[in-house]
Amino acid sequence: MQLLDASRELAIRPIWRLGFRPFFLFGTAFALLAVLIWLAALEGNAAWQPAGGWLAWHRHEMVFGFGGAIIAGFLLTAVQNWTGNPGLRGRSLALLAMLWLAARVAWLMGAPLMLVIPLELAFLPAVAFVMGRSLWRVRQRGNYPVVVVLSLLAAADALVLWGLAFGDAAVQRQGVLAALWLVAALMGLIGGRVIPFFTQRGLGRVQQVKAWPWLDWSMLVGGVLLAVSFASGLGLRPNPWLAGLCLLLGLGNLLRLARWYDAGIWKVTLLWPLHLAFAWLALAPLGLAAWHLGFLANPSLAQHALGVGAMGGLILAMIARVSLGHSGRPLEPPRAMRGAFVLINLGAAARVLLLPIAGNTALWLAAICWAAAFALFLRHYAVLLCTPRVDGRPG
């Protein structure tokens, strides 16, 4: 680890000392507010229109706004551990966070596209550049795929913005769904590394379950191919060939999950939510396969299994752990977080399983569960994210 000038580092405001701090705070606050705003818009209670309309805003912002913030916060923190060099901090981190925030405000308030598009286009490439530069300096090739996926996410965002500029809702949808499955590929990549490790450490097992590199790489490549099918428009129509790809992705993730399983996870608050989120990551492509084969009428159910259950669930579980570890605290979350983890999974179940039966009631239940889960996180972690580490170290 590169040595730091402790006095200089500690002079930085705590919130700007490491990437997880501003992006976990802003990202979760946005996740809470965005769902409440979306509900108000659905009920006709919004007095204005965001750029492209409410549906375009909702689709884009839950993936690129919320998801993009948490991905940035996690990776800008993790790269410090991966490379042994200091992560982005201070003024540079603050400027990157303000760029993210400016794009959110501009899109939501319906600013002119000549302002919205440059702000939005700049964020993900900036994160990819910072990550790539850090990894290149130490020639850490094993993490180059992370930069590749980030770059593809930026390309998917550009596709959405192209559709926004020309008023093409279909192109916007292609870009958003491509991005959602790229996020799934990234979750599979990162989750495949940390979930077996966290499970072994959390349960005090002697040995971690050994990875099967061929399986991990297959899931990454398959996820990227599925994203490409959406970007091209091919994935928007039922296709038996894509059903096969989705089946392989779902079954492959189920196999990984089965290999990592240990009955002891249910006794550890920071473990079982990770495994449940990965279960949603397996269920989502299986649901999409069912749609491609004609057994499921609406592909939106599979997409929301991914967006709410897998993405929302894995994000909540990861940020609850990362925030404790990188603030120098024991890995023992507040008891209320158990309720938050239950709520996020109940919300996913309501949005995916209950919606076909209960309609708007299920939609409201899902949104309330989502908002309550992230409200609990903010209630117990917001101060932590804005205050120094308890051990006095930088970061």
Side-chain angles (χ1 to χ4, degrees), residues 55-65 107 120 152-153 155-164 168-184 226-227 230-232 236 303-304 306-307 311:
L55 180 58
W57 173 82
H58 171 67
R59 284 192 306 216
H60 181 274
E61 291 298 84
M62 296 314 291
V63 178
F64 291 103
W107 195 304
E120 179 61 31
L152 291 173
L153 271 172
D157 201 8
L159 183 61
V160 177
L161 294 169
W162 177 275
L164 182 69
D168 192 328
V171 170
Q172 293 178 57
R173 186 164 176 253
Q174 288 169 212
V176 168
L177 291 176
L180 184 60
W181 288 96
L182 285 169
V183 172
L226 187 57
F230 279 108
S232 67
L236 300 180
Q303 314 290 9
H304 281 87
L306 177 56
M311 190 176 86

Side-chain angles (χ1 to χ4, degrees), residues 17 38 62 75 78 80 88 103 107 145 190 194 202 253 290 294 320 343:
R17 290 182 185 174
W38 172 235
M62 296 314 291
L75 292 178
Q80 178 170 280
L88 197 69
W107 195 304
I190 301 297
V194 303
N253 281 329
L343 283 167

Side-chain angles (χ1 to χ4, degrees), residues 190-201 208-209 260 275:
I190 301 297
R193 296 178 183 178
V194 303
I195 294 176
F197 173 69
F198 288 166
T199 301
Q200 181 252 326
R201 292 290 296 272
Q208 181 181 323
V209 175
W260 305 333
H275 287 255

Side-chain angles (χ1 to χ4, degrees), residues 245-333:
L245 176 59
C246 293
L247 279 171
L248 289 174
L249 282 171
L251 294 175
N253 281 329
L254 280 179
L255 176 58
R256 298 165 92 191
L257 192 60
R259 295 187 68 242
W260 305 333
Y261 181 74
D262 187 308
I265 63 171
W266 303 107
K267 299 177 182 178
V268 181
T269 305
L270 287 176
L271 288 182
W272 59 262
L274 291 170
H275 287 255
L276 277 183
F278 212 86
W280 284 107
L281 189 60
L283 180 64
L286 293 176
L288 200 57
W291 174 72
H292 278 295
L293 294 172
F295 298 118
L296 188 66
N298 189 351
S300 174
L301 299 178
Q303 314 290 9
H304 281 87
L306 177 56
V308 183
M311 190 176 86
L314 192 61
I315 281 174
L316 192 61
M318 287 292 291
I319 63 179
R321 182 189 178 97
V322 169
S323 300
L324 293 174
H326 282 279
S327 62
R329 290 168 170 81
L331 297 177
E332 297 175 2

Side-chain angles (χ1 to χ4, degrees), residues 3-347:
L3 294 177
L4 300 174
D5 182 341
S7 60
R8 184 176 178 181
E9 294 299 315
L10 295 175
I12 300 172
R13 288 180 180 270
I15 194 172
W16 308 124
R17 290 182 185 174
L18 205 53
F20 79 97
R21 291 178 174 276
F23 286 113
F24 288 3
L25 179 63
F26 297 167
T28 51
F30 183 72
L32 168 60
L33 292 173
V35 163
L36 298 179
I37 292 171
W38 172 235
L39 282 180
L42 285 179
E43 294 296 317
N45 295 323
W48 77 99
Q49 284 282 321
W54 283 111
L55 180 58
W57 173 82
H58 171 67
R59 284 192 306 216
H60 181 274
E61 291 298 84
M62 296 314 291
V63 178
F64 291 103
F66 166 55
I70 304 302
I71 288 169
F74 177 81
L75 292 178
L76 292 173
T77 302
V79 76
Q80 178 170 280
N81 293 338
W82 295 347
T83 64
N85 292 320
L88 197 69
R89 61 204 186 283
R91 183 177 298 176
S92 298
L93 178 58
L95 287 173
L96 187 61
M98 290 304 104
L99 175 62
W100 174 87
L101 184 60
R104 308 285 68 77
V105 173
W107 195 304
L108 176 62
M109 300 312 296
L113 293 185
M114 62 185 299
L115 176 62
V116 173
I117 290 175
L119 286 173
E120 179 61 31
L121 275 178
F123 178 69
L124 283 173
V127 177
F129 172 76
V130 172
M131 291 293 299
R133 182 183 59 182
S134 297
L135 296 172
W136 176 257
R137 284 174 176 171
V138 296
R139 302 298 191 269
Q140 198 176 85
R141 295 179 177 85
N143 283 312
Y144 287 176
V146 172
V147 181
V148 172
V149 176
L150 274 176
S151 301
L152 291 173
L153 271 172
D157 201 8
L159 183 61
V160 177
L161 294 169
W162 177 275
L164 182 69
F166 289 94
D168 192 328
V171 170
Q172 293 178 57
R173 186 164 176 253
Q174 288 169 212
V176 168
L177 291 176
L180 184 60
W181 288 96
L182 285 169
V183 172
L186 190 59
M187 290 191 295
L189 175 64
I190 301 297
R193 296 178 183 178
V194 303
I195 294 176
F197 173 69
F198 288 166
T199 301
Q200 181 252 326
R201 292 290 296 272
L203 298 178
R205 303 300 187 232
V206 175
Q207 198 171 19
Q208 181 181 323
V209 175
K210 290 184 178 180
W212 288 350
W214 65 268
L215 180 57
D216 295 344
W217 280 106
S218 296
M219 294 299 97
L220 177 61
V221 172
V224 170
L225 288 175
L226 187 57
V228 169
S229 79
F230 279 108
S232 67
L234 182 65
L236 300 180
R237 299 178 295 275
N239 185 313
W241 291 102
L242 288 177
L245 176 59
C246 293
L247 279 171
L248 289 174
L249 282 171
L251 294 175
N253 281 329
L254 280 179
L255 176 58
R256 298 165 92 191
L257 192 60
R259 295 187 68 242
W260 305 333
Y261 181 74
D262 187 308
I265 63 171
W266 303 107
K267 299 177 182 178
V268 181
T269 305
L270 287 176
L271 288 182
W272 59 262
L274 291 170
H275 287 255
L276 277 183
F278 212 86
W280 284 107
L281 189 60
L283 180 64
L286 293 176
L288 200 57
W291 174 72
H292 278 295
L293 294 172
F295 298 118
L296 188 66
N298 189 351
S300 174
L301 299 178
Q303 314 290 9
H304 281 87
L306 177 56
V308 183
M311 190 176 86
L314 192 61
I315 281 174
L316 192 61
M318 287 292 291
I319 63 179
R321 182 189 178 97
V322 169
S323 300
L324 293 174
H326 282 279
S327 62
R329 290 168 170 81
L331 297 177
E332 297 175 2
R335 293 186 64 181
M337 287 305 296
R338 299 176 192 173
F341 297 140
V342 170
L343 283 167
I344 199 73
N345 283 283
L346 284 177

